[in-house]
Amino acid sequence: MDKLTTEQRRKNMQAVKSQGSKIEMTLAKSLWSLGYRYRKNNKTVYGKPDLTFKSLKIAIFVDGEN
């Protein structure tokens, strides 16, 4: 059972960002400073991962709240 009205749920879902969250940016900057090179939001990889290392066949999906 949803506790929010349809209008409240719509506004809430519109506010959710698909890319560029604080957690994603912090992880990306940390990996870059350690020398790991990656691609952000690579659309050629299935599932739209946040960070990809194609040569290593690694995809990172960041699931977090701001």
Side-chain angles (χ1 to χ4, degrees):
M1 186 89 196
D2 198 5
K3 294 182 180 181
L4 299 177
T5 65
T6 306
E7 184 65 24
Q8 288 172 330
R9 177 63 60 200
R10 185 179 73 78
K11 287 187 182 231
N12 188 10
M13 293 306 289
Q14 283 180 335
V16 175
K17 295 174 20 176
S18 64
Q19 60 187 11
S21 66
K22 287 182 186 178
I23 296 171
E24 180 184 342
M25 297 304 292
T26 303
L27 176 63
K29 287 180 182 181
S30 298
L31 289 172
W32 192 268
S33 68
L34 291 172
Y36 295 103
R37 300 301 179 240
Y38 54 84
R39 293 287 175 252
K40 289 175 37 177
N41 306 105
N42 191 350
K43 295 182 182 180
T44 62
V45 178
Y46 180 75
K48 295 181 184 176
D50 296 308
L51 302 173
T52 57
F53 302 89
K54 265 190 144 176
S55 62
L56 301 173
K57 295 185 179 179
I58 296 174
I60 299 175
F61 296 86
V62 178
D63 181 29
E65 299 176 10
N66 290 345

